[in-house]
């Protein structure tokens, strides 16, 4: 009943070879009820019933049966839009009824609209956009892919519905204007040479999203004023100047930033007054789109960038793009997962066209209750476009309705997951539908599938997109015991420690520290990580500078998280692993000049804590700075940066030595040292207004405690704190 390994890769040649355009196959649509109806009498609810009946009675439903395929597409249009919505739309005016009838019998246009990537759902907006363009061209639409791209972005937007979009600022966001703009510029040969090859889904990234990308006037201004060599559009953002505040002293967040230019287009105003990354990136996007180049803005942590594309499959970066959260997308917004998935799904024009035709048949068969035939049709569609998430989700829904067993789900996923070798997170999202079945498998089967997912992620290029490691949480929860979970977590750590660019390893480390160490399961985390450290090799992929930097950052985040959680075992385990694997170099080679200035002996310390850490901080050296050999730490700019060292156990403390970094003598002048027995109540032991390079502080006789803190006071001027030694002496 259910597919096994390999079925999704077979049959592509058979289904794509010799498939003529649907309009060429259709001799007469006599079997489609629409042909017998007039615009005034069509009831789309009744039409849906009649079409369903045709599909239900068809002996061998096939995309090669042009009339049946037309019926399936009509049924899909009615299902997606909603029969009540279509009836209301047709009833609103005779001209709209005439358009809708003409659209429904035009198989080429219908197919283009339904294959656009995102089809407006349960709304008339997409049809209304097509109607306006049809009306403006007096019933003869010259560029149906472009018209459908406008309908898609106006009606689908960022995958959510905006039912009032056509009435919101229509004077500046007009789909007919946008359509005519590109028609005119293309006719004059003024757009990028690849524009003429763009399909509907690609044109979505040219026409722009209304109310998000800038208004019509900005297209005109950017077209006329930002003209670069085609390979230089990654610099189009610099048509404006990065500035905040404005020339007039207004903050970019204020409503007055563009006040003197409020009557101009956003593009011209940004050119004149400048802006920060958001405005400049949107200026770059507009410049690309206005010249027929697909582009999108992209959100990154604390930054906005953009991406543009001169040829299929090759997104380039502007202002730091193309990776991040796409502002215009078809399959999820996290790039590069999203744009790579999109390019993989739509990359072969013949295959995706044939796949969509199979999907129309599959949807119609589902509506007709022919589940077995629908499953077969979805399998044919996925053989042509194996990673299409909408198709696969529909198939999964049928599998579940049929009562798919955990054993069948296991075999199915074993066959499908390898398809996502360079699309790791897409594979995780694909399998989420079947998680209830995975939960019923035995632990060995679960772990095999979960590790396949993690391997796909580890092999995915540019792992920046994997910005949420919590997908591991349901995997952990699905396992039967803590012992199994511990082994699995260790295997996951070891995998990401050895493969990939280190980004996922860092995210998982940080997540696991918060999930387990912060919640009192330090031993669990420690054992899992120790097992990983024994098997994984952080530099297995090569000791290139970038990977070492990424892995160091990953360890650093986890070590600081362990410090904040006050977890001695996690702090030690992570530090030992980082030092052994990465061998961090202490660029500050200074030693304590007067180690005998304090009576007693250097104590064994268990934990170091830092109030904040700057990007030059080296958390892997925090433990060693509590020893005479020294280490290094660096806070961010703070008014009162604070450092704390904890002993392994309470003792009689005789004093401490704190040594500044060699390049830090003009900082950290005012400082106070405190001691504490419980880490909550602190007693000042020494204060200085002019801290020397090496400050030796002797504590009062019989000072008992476990914690020592130094707090620097920078007054009104926030500054860094760099030290190489924080050594505590005890009796």
């Amino acid at each position: 009943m259910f597919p096994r390994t390999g079925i999704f890769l077979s049959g592509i040649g058979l289904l794509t070879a010799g498939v003529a355009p649907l309009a060429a196959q259709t001799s007469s649509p006599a079997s489609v009820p629409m042909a017998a109806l007039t615009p005034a009498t069509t009831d789309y609810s009744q039409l849906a019933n009649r079409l369903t009946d045709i599909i239900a009675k068809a002996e061998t439903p096939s995309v090669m049966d042009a009339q049946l395929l037309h019926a399936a597409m009509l049924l899909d249009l009615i299902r997606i839009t909603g029969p009540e919505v279509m009836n209301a739309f047709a009833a609103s005016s005779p001209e709209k009824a005439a358009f809708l009838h003409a659209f429904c019998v035009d198989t080429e246009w219908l197919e283009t609209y339904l294959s656009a990537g995102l089809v407006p759902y349960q709304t008339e907006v997409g049809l209304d956009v097509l109607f306006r363009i049809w009306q403006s061209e007096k019933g003869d639409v010259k560029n149906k892919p472009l018209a459908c791209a406008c309908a898609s972005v106006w009606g689908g937007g960022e995958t959510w519905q905006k039912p009032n979009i056509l009435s919101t600022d229509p004077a500046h966001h007009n789909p007919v204007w946008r359509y005519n703009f590109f028609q005119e510029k293309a006719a004059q040969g003024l757009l990028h040479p690849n524009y003429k090859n763009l399909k509907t889904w690609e044109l979505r990234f040219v026409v722009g999203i209304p109310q998000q990308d800038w208004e019509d006037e900005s297209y005109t201004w950017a077209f006329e004023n930002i003209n670069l060599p085609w390979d230089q559009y990654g610099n189009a953002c610099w048509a404006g100047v990065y500035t905040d505040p404005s020339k007039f002293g207004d903050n970019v967040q204020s409503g007055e930033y563009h006040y003197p230019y409020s009557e101009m287009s956003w593009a011209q105003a940004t050119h004149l007054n400048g802006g920060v990354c958001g405005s400049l990136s949107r200026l770059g996007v507009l410049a690309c789109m206005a010249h027929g180049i697909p582009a999108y803005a992209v959100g990154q942590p604390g930054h906005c960038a953009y991406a543009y594309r001169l040829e299929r499959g090759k997104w380039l970066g502007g202002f730091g793009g193309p990776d991040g959260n796409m502002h215009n997308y078809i399959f999820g917004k996290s790039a590069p997962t999203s744009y790579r998935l999109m390019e993989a799904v739509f990359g072969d024009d013949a295959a995706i066209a044939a796949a969509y035709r199979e999907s129309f048949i599959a949807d119609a068969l589902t509506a007709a209750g022919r589940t077995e035939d629908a499953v077969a049709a979805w399998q044919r569609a996925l053989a042509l476009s194996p990673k299409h998430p909408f198709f696969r989700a529909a198939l999964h829904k049928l599998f579940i309705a049929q009562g798919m067993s955990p054993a069948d789900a296991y075999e199915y996923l074993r066959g499908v997951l390898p398809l996502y070798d360079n699309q790791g997170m897409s594979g995780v999202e694909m399998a989420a539908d079947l998680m209830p079945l995975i939960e019923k498998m035995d632990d060995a089967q679960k772990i095999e599938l979960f590790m396949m997912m993690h391997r796909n992620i580890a092999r995915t290029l540019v792992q920046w997109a994997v910005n949420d490691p919590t997908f591991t949480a349901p995997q952990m929860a699905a396992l039967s015991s803590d012992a199994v979970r511990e082994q699995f977590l260790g295997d996951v750590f070891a995998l990401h420690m050895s493969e990939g660019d280190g980004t996922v390893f860092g995210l998982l480390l940080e997540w696991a520290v918060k999930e387990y160490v912060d919640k009192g399961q330090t031993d669990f985390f420690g054992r899992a990580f120790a097992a990983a450290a024994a098997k994984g090799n952080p530099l297995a992929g090569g000791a290139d500078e970038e990977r070492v930097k990424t892995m160091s950052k990953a360890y650093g985040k986890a070590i600081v998280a362990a410090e904040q959680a006050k977890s001695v075992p996690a702090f030690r385990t992570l530090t030992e692993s980082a030092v052994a694997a990465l061998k961090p170099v202490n660029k500050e080679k200074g030693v304590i000049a007067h180690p005998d200035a304090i009576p007693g002996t250097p104590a064994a310390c268990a934990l170091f804590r830092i109030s904040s850490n700057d990007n030059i901080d080296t958390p892997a050296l925090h433990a060693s700075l509590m020893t005479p050999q020294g280490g290094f730490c660096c806070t961010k700019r703070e008014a009162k940066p604070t450092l704390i060292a904890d002993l392994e156990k309470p003792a009689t403390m005789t004093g401490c030595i704190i040594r500044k970094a060699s390049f830090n003598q003009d900082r950290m002048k005012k400082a106070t040292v405190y001691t504490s027995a419980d880490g909550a109540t602190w007693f000042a032991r020494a204060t200085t207004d002019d801290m020397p390079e090496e400050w030796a502080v002797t504590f009062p006789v019989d000072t008992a405690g476990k914690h020592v803190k130094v707090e620097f006071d920078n007054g009104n001027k926030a500054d860094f704190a760099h030290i190489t030694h924080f050594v505590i002496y005890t009796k």
Side-chain angles (χ1 to χ4, degrees):
M1 179 185 299
F2 297 101
R4 297 296 194 261
T5 305
I7 192 167
F8 295 95
L9 299 178
S10 64
I12 294 179
L14 174 65
L15 289 169
T16 57
V19 177
L22 181 59
Q25 297 179 51
T26 305
S27 55
S28 171
S31 64
V32 181
M34 190 72 211
L37 302 174
T38 66
T41 62
T42 301
D43 181 313
Y44 290 92
S45 297
Q46 292 181 11
L47 179 59
N49 292 334
R50 295 175 66 182
L51 292 168
T52 303
D53 188 56
I54 289 173
I55 301 295
K57 294 176 179 177
E59 290 187 14
T60 54
S62 168
V63 295
M64 303 308 292
D65 183 333
Q67 285 96 11
L68 191 70
L69 182 55
H70 185 192
M73 286 195 297
L74 274 175
L75 188 58
D76 216 28
L77 174 70
I78 297 169
R79 174 188 65 81
I80 291 170
T81 309
E84 298 83 4
V85 170
M86 292 181 70
N87 283 337
F89 180 80
S92 62
S93 78
E95 196 171 17
K96 284 185 177 180
F99 153 75
L100 192 52
H101 187 274
F103 176 61
C104 287
V105 298
D106 187 329
T107 54
E108 178 189 358
W109 201 5
L110 187 60
E111 182 176 13
T112 302
Y113 179 74
L114 293 173
S115 307
L118 284 179
V119 185
Y121 183 73
Q122 298 294 305
T123 175
E124 78 284 356
V125 172
L127 296 178
D128 206 343
V129 169
L130 295 183
F131 163 68
R132 295 177 187 214
I133 294 171
W134 176 83
Q135 190 179 40
S136 74
E137 294 206 298
K138 297 180 171 47
D140 182 20
V141 176
K142 305 295 190 303
N143 191 332
K144 289 169 181 172
L146 178 61
C148 289
C150 292
S152 176
V153 295
W154 253 264
E158 285 191 335
T159 71
W160 69 74
Q161 297 309 310
K162 300 177 181 178
N164 299 319
I165 191 70
L166 282 166
S167 60
T168 304
D169 198 15
H172 302 289
H173 293 273
N174 186 326
V176 178
W177 185 96
R178 206 74 56 97
Y179 173 87
N180 288 331
F181 174 88
F182 285 105
Q183 281 291 86
E184 291 167 7
K185 298 297 183 284
Q188 296 167 11
L190 299 176
L191 299 180
H192 186 270
N194 194 46
Y195 173 82
K196 63 181 180 296
N197 300 318
L198 298 179
K199 301 299 181 183
T200 305
W201 66 276
E202 295 168 294
L203 288 166
R204 294 183 82 259
F205 296 91
V206 170
V207 299
I209 295 179
Q211 305 303 322
Q212 178 177 283
D213 293 317
W214 287 340
E215 80 291 4
D216 301 336
E217 292 84 350
S218 285
Y219 273 85
T220 298
W221 188 91
F223 177 83
E224 293 174 351
N225 293 278
I226 306 178
N227 291 283
L228 302 169
W230 293 126
D231 62 350
Q232 294 297 312
Y233 273 82
N235 298 319
C237 55
W238 300 115
V241 178
Y242 193 100
T243 179
D244 185 25
S246 72
K247 299 173 184 176
F248 306 95
D250 297 312
N251 183 274
V252 75
Q253 302 295 337
S254 74
E256 287 135 4
Y257 186 88
H258 287 292
Y259 176 71
Y261 312 107
S262 59
E263 298 304 313
M264 298 178 181
S265 70
W266 274 103
Q268 185 177 9
T270 302
H271 167 70
L272 290 172
N273 201 38
V276 295
C277 57
S279 293
L280 297 186
S281 290
R282 291 189 180 280
L283 183 60
V285 169
L286 234 295
C288 291
M289 294 193 300
H291 291 86
I293 300 170
Y296 61 80
V298 55
Q300 298 175 348
H303 182 58
C304 183
Y306 70 100
Y308 67 104
R309 176 171 162 291
L310 302 178
E311 58 181 297
R312 182 169 287 188
K314 294 184 179 180
W315 289 94
L316 304 172
F319 212 168
D323 299 332
N325 288 331
M326 301 169 69
H327 290 194
N328 185 356
Y329 54 85
I330 295 177
F331 304 132
K333 65 181 181 179
S334 182
T337 300
S338 181
Y339 72 70
R340 284 194 177 140
L341 179 60
M342 176 177 69
E343 295 285 348
V345 167
F346 290 101
D348 184 324
D349 293 339
I352 192 60
Y356 263 108
R357 292 178 185 180
E358 292 289 356
S359 80
F360 303 143
I361 295 291
D363 265 333
L365 290 167
T366 301
R370 296 177 59 169
T371 305
E372 292 288 339
D373 291 332
V375 167
W378 282 122
Q379 290 172 349
R380 293 193 297 272
L382 285 161
L384 293 153
S385 182
K387 296 179 185 177
H388 200 305
F390 302 160
F391 294 177
R392 202 162 287 282
L395 177 63
H396 291 174
K397 188 174 181 180
L398 291 179
F399 280 167
I400 293 169
Q402 284 182 306
M404 186 183 219
S405 70
D408 283 326
Y410 169 69
E411 291 296 332
Y412 166 75
L413 289 171
R414 285 186 71 207
V416 172
L417 281 169
L419 298 173
Y420 295 86
D421 186 46
N422 195 29
Q423 294 281 342
M425 286 306 298
S426 298
V428 172
E429 291 161 5
M430 174 277 298
D433 296 336
L434 302 179
M435 195 64 181
L437 293 173
I438 296 175
E439 290 171 350
K440 296 176 182 178
M441 298 175 193
D442 61 47
D443 282 336
Q445 292 174 322
K446 293 174 188 175
I447 290 173
E448 180 185 354
L449 296 178
F450 294 158
M451 290 304 293
M452 289 177 75
M453 296 178 198
H454 280 278
R455 286 190 193 95
N456 286 341
I457 289 170
R459 294 167 184 165
T460 299
L461 300 175
V462 194
Q463 294 173 8
W464 191 94
V466 187
N467 54 15
D468 182 5
T470 58
F471 67 86
T472 307
Q475 296 177 346
M476 294 284 285
L479 299 173
S480 64
S481 68
D482 283 344
V484 176
R485 293 185 190 99
E486 182 181 307
Q487 180 179 348
F488 171 66
L489 184 60
D491 289 343
V492 168
F493 278 146
L495 171 68
H496 291 290
M497 186 184 293
S498 300
E499 295 192 40
D501 62 11
T503 305
V504 178
F505 173 67
L507 290 168
L508 284 168
L509 266 185
E510 196 173 7
W511 166 77
V513 168
K514 292 176 181 177
E515 182 70 17
Y516 298 106
V517 176
D518 284 6
K519 297 178 182 178
Q521 297 185 61
T522 299
D523 291 343
F524 174 88
F525 170 84
R527 288 191 300 269
F529 188 79
K535 326 187 250 196
N537 180 2
L539 297 184
D544 60 278
E545 184 179 348
E546 278 305 309
R547 193 167 198 279
V548 171
K549 188 186 298 183
T550 301
M551 294 298 291
S552 297
K553 184 177 180 181
Y555 270 110
K557 282 188 174 184
I559 290 169
V560 170
E563 292 172 0
Q564 293 170 345
K566 300 180 183 179
S567 171
V568 174
F571 174 72
R572 281 182 170 166
T573 300
L574 289 164
T575 299
E576 290 169 3
S577 178
V579 170
L582 302 174
K583 298 177 176 54
V585 176
N586 183 7
K587 296 178 182 178
E588 287 289 320
K589 299 186 183 302
V591 296
I592 297 175
H594 304 286
D596 299 328
I598 303 296
T601 57
C605 290
L607 185 66
F608 180 81
R609 282 173 279 160
I610 187 169
S611 55
S612 65
N613 66 310
D614 186 66
N615 57 8
I616 68 166
D617 182 34
T618 311
L621 295 174
H622 286 182
S624 60
L625 66 78
M626 298 185 291
T627 71
Q629 290 73 36
F632 181 73
C633 77
C634 177
T635 69
K636 292 181 179 178
R637 291 184 185 273
E638 293 185 68
K640 292 186 176 182
T642 303
L643 311 171
I644 300 173
D646 296 345
L647 299 178
E648 288 185 343
K649 57 184 178 181
T652 299
M653 301 183 292
T654 56
C656 69
I657 294 178
I658 302 166
R659 185 179 177 85
K660 296 180 184 180
S662 60
F663 54 88
N664 197 28
Q665 301 312 304
D666 59 332
R667 296 187 175 116
M668 302 158 56
K669 291 298 187 181
K670 296 183 68 173
T672 302
V673 170
Y674 302 83
T675 66
S676 174
D678 58 6
T681 304
W682 296 91
F683 299 94
R685 300 304 185 186
T687 299
T688 180
D689 288 334
D690 190 15
M691 178 180 167
E693 180 178 5
E694 185 173 296
W695 188 25
V697 177
T698 302
F699 297 160
V701 176
D702 296 329
T703 296
K706 185 182 177 183
H707 314 277
V708 180
K709 173 172 70 175
V710 58
E711 182 178 82
F712 303 101
D713 188 349
N714 294 317
N716 295 326
K717 185 180 179 181
D719 210 340
F720 303 101
H722 313 245
I723 69 167
T724 62
H725 292 79
F726 191 169
V727 183
I728 302 171
Y729 287 73
T730 60
K731 278 187 177 182

